[in-house]
Amino acid sequence: MAHASTTLLTQLPIDPSERPQYDLKQLQAYFRRIRLPQEHCATPILHDHKLANTKEHGLPLLRALQLYHLANIPFENLELHYSAKKSISLNMDDLYQKFVVRGENYSRGGRCMEHNGFFGTVLRSLGYDVRNCAGRVSRAWNPDSEIREQQAQTYDPWNHMLNLVNVEGVSFVVDVGMGAMGPNIVYPLEDGYETAAIPPRRIRLQKRSIPEHSLSGVLQAQQLWCYDQCLKPDQPGQGNVWIPTYCFTETEFLPQDYEMMSFFTSHHRRSFFIHHVLCTRMLIDEASQKVVGDITLFNRSVRKTTGGVRETLADLKTEEERVNALKNVLGVDLTAEEKTNISTEIRLGQRA
């Protein structure tokens, strides 16, 4: 088992040998689940974990794992709307069952703490040196236009999780849990780093203070890592328009921290996730080995975005249409029981 069960309070086991790990058979099943190319499935890292800490072997596998994870395990919050309990487990055995075992037939995914918690455990099981960190998502991306207009410079409370992976002494940011808003590439933890992401979008990383601080001057304020996006760098006047996406700290957050964060984002009345149905699958180009766009179901619409151009694939009027879109467009299949669990407040039109 990857995750020892306990009736005590949540903690990170003090003994490293007791921390969650996936065995070789589980890792190989995960590789099949994400359709990892054979050249990476045969990595020597499986049999010599020290190689994970080398740029020769560790970085190519890390990039491939992130790419194919993004393409084959969706970013979604369906558990909060279609499950009977409407609660999220961060137990690594539960996540393995959801992503890999059930995922083989139902193609289920999850949110950031599920994705990055699970992915971090996969990486540790392969021998990578991984630190879990937390972030605050910028309100510049809030779906409520009034919040975007009035509070775009502010951030949500700690509500995001990402991983920092050390390879030969260099820290890399690895985030598989942000959907279409995420960087969707492995990139170095380096102040001022800027690169192309999903074309034509550019991303950058800066170490700076955020506007929300109590000290008298910016120079005295705490600095955080800030991940920003420039959505239309190829258009006149837009090349230097950067939108804050999330800020994060290098402080290691513990399982009990994420337990609290997950509970808030799953149940608090102001949480984005309890009011909206979301499912995103990233699109990749096999030839270039890059993410090139996404298909997203958001409430009552299905949209495809590639090359910075968004097109509407479907406007959904009934719950049956939404369930069918999840299956036929995004590959996510709900069970008969799950289809009946949608609340009347969230259900579209008539019941499926």
Side-chain angles (χ1 to χ4, degrees), residues 319-340:
E319 188 59 34
E320 182 177 10
E321 289 180 355
R322 181 157 65 188
V323 169
N324 287 339
L326 284 170
K327 180 177 181 179
N328 299 326
V329 181
L330 289 150
V332 176
D333 197 7
L334 299 174
T335 66
E337 179 185 355
E338 286 172 332
K339 295 173 187 177
T340 67

Side-chain angles (χ1 to χ4, degrees), residues 282-339:
M282 305 310 297
L283 304 174
I284 67 171
D285 176 61
E286 295 276 359
S288 65
Q289 291 287 284
K290 293 181 179 179
V291 176
V292 295
D294 70 274
I295 297 178
T296 294
L297 182 151
F298 184 69
N299 291 332
R300 58 177 61 248
S301 69
V302 182
R303 296 175 178 175
K304 178 180 179 180
T305 304
T306 54
V309 178
R310 176 180 292 177
E311 62 174 309
T312 299
L313 301 182
D315 288 315
L316 311 171
K317 298 179 176 61
T318 68
E319 188 59 34
E320 182 177 10
E321 289 180 355
R322 181 157 65 188
V323 169
N324 287 339
L326 284 170
K327 180 177 181 179
N328 299 326
V329 181
L330 289 150
V332 176
D333 197 7
L334 299 174
T335 66
E337 179 185 355
E338 286 172 332
K339 295 173 187 177

Side-chain angles (χ1 to χ4, degrees), residues 105-230:
N105 295 318
Y106 297 99
S107 193
R108 292 300 304 276
R111 300 180 301 157
C112 67
M113 285 168 243
E114 297 169 272
H115 273 285
N116 283 318
F118 170 80
F119 195 70
T121 300
V122 167
L123 295 180
R124 290 189 190 93
S125 302
L126 288 165
Y128 287 94
D129 186 9
V130 184
R131 184 194 311 171
N132 300 130
C133 299
R136 300 182 179 118
V137 176
S138 168
R139 289 170 178 158
W141 294 88
N142 194 286
D144 187 318
S145 60
E146 184 177 5
I147 291 176
R148 291 198 306 273
E149 291 168 5
Q150 298 185 21
Q151 296 182 285
Q153 295 188 72
T154 68
Y155 289 81
D156 287 340
W158 296 113
N159 62 350
H160 184 55
M161 177 185 186
L162 62 151
N163 291 308
L164 297 181
V165 181
N166 187 285
V167 179
E168 289 190 12
V170 178
S171 291
F172 292 88
V173 182
V174 183
D175 186 354
V176 296
M178 198 63 181
M181 293 166 53
N184 293 303
I185 59 170
V186 174
Y187 67 98
L189 185 71
E190 177 185 311
D191 187 17
Y193 183 80
E194 181 180 327
T195 189
I198 303 175
R201 186 187 314 174
R202 295 189 66 80
I203 64 170
R204 73 178 181 188
L205 187 67
Q206 291 185 341
K207 189 77 174 288
R208 65 175 190 258
S209 61
I210 62 175
E212 295 174 272
H213 61 81
S214 301
L215 296 179
S216 58
V218 172
L219 295 179
Q220 291 77 38
Q222 179 187 21
Q223 292 191 328
L224 297 167
W225 290 102
C226 297
Y227 159 64
D228 310 320
Q229 299 185 70
C230 180

Side-chain angles (χ1 to χ4, degrees), residues 15-87:
D15 184 346
S17 67
E18 297 178 356
R19 294 173 185 173
Q21 294 271 320
Y22 297 124
D23 61 28
L24 178 60
K25 184 177 179 180
Q26 289 175 308
L27 290 171
Q28 290 172 330
Y30 167 67
F31 290 176
R32 291 192 296 272
R33 169 71 180 88
I34 64 171
R35 298 178 174 85
L36 189 69
Q38 182 56 36
E39 63 186 281
H40 296 294
C41 290
T43 174
I45 289 175
L46 283 174
H47 304 289
D48 185 354
H49 288 179
K50 294 190 296 295
L51 295 176
N53 192 40
T54 67
K55 291 182 179 178
E56 178 184 0
H57 296 283
L59 273 183
L61 180 61
L62 179 61
R63 291 188 173 113
L65 288 171
Q66 184 194 47
L67 181 70
Y68 286 92
H69 182 106
L70 290 167
N72 291 288
I73 302 184
F75 177 79
E76 47 101 332
N77 68 338
L78 303 179
E79 201 78 13
L80 295 179
H81 299 293
Y82 290 97
S83 70
K85 294 183 178 180
K86 294 180 172 48
S87 62

